[in-house]
Amino acid sequence: MAQTTTAPRGRRPEAQKTKDRTHWLYISVIASVVLGAAVGLLFPEFGKSLKPLGDGFVSLIKMMIGPVIFCTIVLGVGSIAKAATVGKVGGMALLYFTVMSTFALGLGLVVGNIVHPGEGLALTPYDPAKKAELDPTVAFVLDIIPDSVPVLPVLFVALLVGFALQKMGPAGQPLLNLLSLVQGVVFRILMMIMWVAPLGAFGAIAAVVGSTGWSAIGAMALLMGAFYATCVLFIVLVLGTLLKVVTGVNIFSLMKYLGREYLLIFATSSSESALPRLIAKMEFAGVSKPVVGVTVPTGYSFNLDGTAIYLTMAALFVSNAMGFEMNVGEQVGLLVFMIIASKGAAGVTGAGLATLAAGLQAHRPDLLGGMGVIVGIDKFMSEARALTNFTGNAVATLLIGRWVGEFDAERARAVLSGQVAFDEALVAGHGAGQSAEDAEGAEATAGSPRAAGDGFDPYESPTAAEQAVEGHPESSLNVTPGLEAAGTRR
């Protein structure tokens, strides 16, 4: 038992190192954008000549679209089936996540159609045939990068494979395990590609600014401002109203309670970093362990409100910048595609860009030429995405707890008002060291994801897709809360 406890804990320092390296990537991209804009303004012709750097990076992202979509959809179908097995809580969580993410995607489309970001940039349409006009050496290097496969057929096949593997039951588990390893390789390659993002962003921004001058900077600033404003309105008006009506909790009180987590997310540009603290704080605020154990991990893959707003607004920005405005039918098709394709890739750097590229390629392949500009400003919007995703999951946990009768309103009011201070010791072990007053009902939650005594950390991997196939003995997606024998697998 001691060995089981030591293994997962020993992996944490390595994970922390990875986050630190990603933070340096974030800083590098910002520096590249500033430098690219300066080069484009001061040396326009030289800036235009750097366009192949952006085109090469877009080609690398395109190369990964098929594998990313296939792996995330197949494993996403698996995670849906696993979450549904936990009964009322899982089913209600999935329904809520689907409705809210669809609403967020639609909100992004509405705001994008009102603001019209990207208009007037007149970016050059993507045309692979134009590689022949480049310097022979540059053309040779770009030709090494393979073309992407059609997105919609990949999506169709992935859905069929995912449902087929679920119908196979235990016999399909080895294939799911194998695919989870393939997904790990795919995302590792994607992360390697993202380390080239500073170079791609530098070339793309320098070329755009060199061609259009200050108008490009203004258009990018408009998109970022509109996106931040939309996220704020979504949190305050949409989530805040829902939270107040259903639970009586004020959204600003909740945000104050989660203040330290917001600072952590802002520093890392990832909501993953605050996952253990969100689990502990939601339990401390009066939501039962089984509800938190199902809602929070599943929400990290399926309740990505900030990412949903970003995907549709960024797609409209690229469409307007290329001079090819999408009609209503194309926008609805894009929304439906994003609803499906955006699931299961949470927390993976570059997965959002790959999903955006997949949506553009599926509907208007000629829009891929504008992806380079998005690479440059993507990092500036990452904090808003992460903060909105995190807030959406916190609100979802309280709402679902209320709907299933597993929410202590008096406890929540006392905690959020500051009358009962949060105990930081609860974060250790993701709340395993709860105080005596929090132990009430422990017998009922003996089979819950964090009940126990063997010290295994079921949240080492935050995404639902990973939890569904990695075989965590007490994963919220592998156990049924309330079973008498703790850790009994489905």
Side-chain angles (χ1 to χ4, degrees), residues 107-122:
L107 180 62
L109 285 178
V110 171
V111 174
N113 281 284
I114 294 174
V115 178
H116 297 289
E119 281 191 345
L121 286 186

Side-chain angles (χ1 to χ4, degrees), residues 455-476:
F456 194 94
D457 185 353
Y459 298 100
E460 196 69 18
S461 185
T463 66
E466 290 172 336
Q467 285 199 35
V469 298
E470 286 184 359
H472 292 301
E474 295 184 3
S475 168
S476 61

Side-chain angles (χ1 to χ4, degrees), residues 65-115:
I65 291 175
V68 168
I69 293 297
F70 183 82
C71 292
T72 55
I73 293 301
V74 173
L75 294 179
V77 171
S79 65
I80 290 176
K82 290 289 185 178
T85 62
V86 299
K88 183 178 181 181
V89 175
M92 186 170 293
L94 290 173
L95 177 62
Y96 172 82
F97 295 157
T98 301
V99 171
M100 289 307 294
S101 61
T102 304
F103 181 85
L105 285 165
L107 180 62
L109 285 178
V110 171
V111 174
N113 281 284
I114 294 174
V115 178

